[in-house]
Every structure is written in C-alpha cells, then in structure tokens.
Amino acid sequence: MTAETQLPQATGSCCSPTGSCHDSADTGAQAGAVTTVYQVSGMTCGHCEGAISEEVSGIEGVTSVKAVASTGLVTVVSGAPLSDDAVRAAVDEAGYELVGRA
C-alpha cells in the first residue's frame, strides 16, 4: 500500500465533546436546539442507560438522550430548555437519582 491509498486514522474518541456519538450536524443542527448534561447516580450498566434514556425521552420536546453509566452523565437535546423538575421526575421514575446539572 502506498500513502495515497491509506485512509487517515482518527485519534481520540469517536464521540463529540458533548459525549454524543453523533456530530453536531445530527443533534444540534435544529434551530433552537438546547443541549443539557445532567449527573445521575446509580447507573452501573447498559440496562440502566436504557431505562433512563427511555424515561427522559418521554419528556415533551426531547429529541435525543445519551446516558453513559461509566461517567453518570446524561446528555439531553431538546427543542427548548427543560424543567429540572421534569428531568428529575423522569430519572426518579427510572429508579435513579438526578444529582444536578453537570
């Protein structure tokens, strides 16, 4: 193989700085999209991530949720700012505790 036929290798994480595995064209291209990151305690696995994502996705206006058990971070993209109380209620319903905004 020559250098011309090799593809450049990306360095670092495949995820964006917000923790999303999608670039900003996928999550932030919507006019007025708001991204908020929350700290949640109690997540330990993929099942936890799914439970939180499912509940938070049910909040009106939410377009994307990414929960990461290893960091305890939940990134939420919505059409308008969300009420912390609404997010807390959804996280509680899933069986976890919203610590606050990260």
Side-chain angles (χ1 to χ4, degrees):
M1 266 191 183
T2 65
E4 293 79 28
T5 60
Q6 292 179 347
L7 297 174
Q9 295 294 321
T11 58
S13 172
C14 67
C15 295
S16 71
T18 64
S20 171
C21 287
H22 305 286
D23 64 22
S24 61
D26 289 338
T27 59
Q30 302 167 350
V34 176
T35 301
T36 309
V37 181
Y38 298 93
Q39 182 72 46
V40 173
S41 66
M43 286 193 293
T44 59
C45 64
H47 172 46
C48 301
E49 294 169 347
I52 289 173
S53 294
E54 182 178 343
E55 290 297 331
V56 174
S57 292
I59 299 171
E60 186 175 341
V62 170
T63 58
S64 172
V65 179
K66 171 81 173 165
V68 181
S70 63
T71 62
L73 297 178
V74 178
T75 303
V76 181
V77 179
S78 57
L82 299 175
S83 156
D84 286 348
D85 289 339
V87 176
R88 185 175 313 281
V91 171
D92 286 348
E93 182 66 27
Y96 304 90
E97 180 183 356
L98 179 68
V99 176
R101 292 184 186 219

